[in-house]
């Protein structure tokens, strides 16, 4: 009996370690709303979880890549947060879609004017960006998270190929391939249109037998009524004959 009890105790201890260490896996990340296609525009969300149980997140700074500058960066207004967009001159002008960029957004800062992100909660910070570069597969955004107890967590470590994920990784946006015709998102629209047509055709094919069955049912109903009427008439006539007799 002692061995099973020891095994159970060890399992519970291991579970406790996993539960206590799980917050380390929750970090600032970035994901697009839909697709982030090369050469196109996208809305991206910086997801910020609160990893502390005794402090609130009151400030987020996101540094935008200057090696692949974005001509357009527009954060969405958020209740409870003051937003500041910082532009910087580029060390070397960059051509982006036929336009020479001499300066670009280098940082967006969100500062809470209220409670911020309280323990046990997370918040998404949306930003419209574009045009996305066509000569890279991903963009790294170094982020700095500040708590109301003055603690600062720097999510700035970049993942190196072949290495384990760093303790405080920088948010990385993966870019999808642009459509061959150059109209970003048009392929998805065509697929949706094809799906709609297929659904309509399937509905039409299903409706045809239903109409046929309905017509047959009506004919049989009419025949039933006629037969019933004839039966009643026959009964009446038969009754009269018996009475006359």
């Amino acid at each position: 009996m002692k061995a099973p009890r020891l095994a159970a105790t060890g399992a519970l201890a291991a579970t406790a370690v996993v539960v206590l260490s799980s917050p380390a896996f929750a970090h600032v990340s970035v994901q697009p709303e839909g697709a982030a296609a090369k050469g196109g525009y996208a809305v991206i969300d910086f997801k910020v979880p609160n990893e502390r149980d005794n402090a609130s997140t009151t400030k987020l700074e996101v540094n935008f890549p200057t090696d692949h500058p974005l001509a357009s960066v527009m954060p969405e207004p958020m209740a409870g947060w003051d937003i500041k967009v910082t532009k910087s001159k580029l060390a070397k002008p960059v051509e982006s879609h036929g336009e020479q960029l001499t300066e670009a957004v280098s940082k967006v800062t969100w500062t809470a004017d209220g409670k911020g992100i309280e323990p046990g909660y997370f918040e998404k910070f949306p930003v419209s960006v574009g045009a996305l570069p066509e000569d890279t597969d991903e963009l790294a955004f170094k982020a700095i998270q500040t708590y109301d107890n003055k603690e600062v967590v720097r999510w700035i470590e970049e993942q190196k190929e072949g290495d384990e994920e760093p303790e405080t990784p920088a948010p990385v946006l993966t870019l999808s391939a642009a459509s061959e015709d150059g109209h970003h998102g048009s392929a998805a629209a065509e697929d949706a249109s094809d799906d709609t047509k297929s659904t309509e055709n399937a509905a039409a094919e299903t409706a045809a037998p239903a109409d046929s069955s309905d017509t047959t049912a009506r004919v049989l109903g009419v025949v039933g009524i006629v037969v019933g009427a004839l039966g009643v008439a026959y009964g009446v006539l038969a009754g009269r004959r018996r009475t006359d007799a």
Side-chain angles (χ1 to χ4, degrees), residues 11-29:
L12 288 173
T15 302
V17 171
V18 171
V19 171
L20 290 173
S21 62
S22 60
F25 294 99
H27 49 260
V28 176
S29 59

Side-chain angles (χ1 to χ4, degrees), residues 18 45 69 90 93 180 185 200 231:
V18 171
D45 295 328
L90 300 175
E180 294 181 359
E200 292 175 349

Side-chain angles (χ1 to χ4, degrees), residues 142 154-159 166-172:
K142 295 183 178 181
R154 301 178 183 277
W155 304 98
I156 61 174
E157 296 181 87
E158 296 190 35
Q159 176 74 51
E167 186 177 351
T168 53
V172 175

Side-chain angles (χ1 to χ4, degrees), residues 162-183:
D163 291 350
E164 294 183 358
E165 183 183 45
E167 186 177 351
T168 53
V172 175
L173 176 67
T174 300
L175 305 181
S176 59
S179 59
E180 294 181 359
D181 58 6
H183 295 87

Side-chain angles (χ1 to χ4, degrees), residues 53 68 80 102:
D53 56 8
H68 292 97
T102 58

Side-chain angles (χ1 to χ4, degrees), residues 47-67:
K47 181 180 178 181
V48 182
N50 191 330
E51 296 186 301
R52 304 292 178 262
D53 56 8
N54 59 354
S56 296
T57 295
T58 54
K59 187 177 181 180
L60 174 68
E61 300 172 70
V62 175
N63 293 280
F64 282 68
T66 53
D67 55 341

Side-chain angles (χ1 to χ4, degrees), residues 79-93:
W81 294 87
D82 177 68
I83 306 173
K84 180 181 178 181
V85 178
T86 303
K87 288 187 176 183
S88 300
K89 287 189 175 182
L90 300 175
K92 182 180 179 181

